[in-house]
Amino acid sequence: MKFSPTHIVVLLVLVLLIFGAGKLPEIAGSIGKSMKVFKKEIKELREDEPAQTPPPAQIQQPQQGTYYTQPTQEGQVAPQQGGDGSAQQ
């Protein structure tokens, strides 16, 4: 739906009738202050967000030829041993 200038004028007249001419500056000031506080809070949240994000965990891989039976860190998987004792990949 597209608003024409007539729609906007009718809307302004209704707002003027409902709230009165004396209240309109007060209402506009309140809305302006609320928007200012809202924008300030959003800006603070965006500035704080990178500091709260921990860096990704680095998983250390064992050196070639190292034998272990259990993973030493979360996310590691022990290589499967073949029948001849060699690691299968």
Side-chain angles (χ1 to χ4, degrees):
M1 181 177 176
K2 204 171 190 181
F3 289 108
S4 68
T6 308
H7 288 114
I8 295 171
V9 170
V10 170
L11 184 63
L12 289 175
V13 169
L14 285 174
V15 169
L16 185 63
L17 288 174
I18 292 172
F19 295 108
K23 284 269 192 179
L24 287 180
E26 183 181 326
I27 292 170
S30 296
I31 291 173
K33 287 178 184 177
S34 298
M35 289 300 296
K36 185 177 180 180
V37 170
F38 180 73
K39 287 180 182 180
K40 180 182 172 189
E41 292 296 325
I42 294 295
K43 183 179 178 184
E44 288 177 2
L45 284 173
R46 287 185 179 160
E47 288 174 355
D48 290 345
E49 192 171 302
Q52 294 176 353
T53 306
Q58 298 267 336
I59 297 178
Q60 296 176 352
Q61 297 297 325
Q63 294 179 352
Q64 184 67 25
T66 303
Y67 176 77
Y68 62 95
T69 57
Q70 295 294 321
T72 57
Q73 296 177 354
E74 186 176 323
Q76 288 184 328
V77 178
Q80 300 296 319
Q81 295 291 325
D84 61 355
S86 64
Q88 294 178 350
Q89 292 184 356

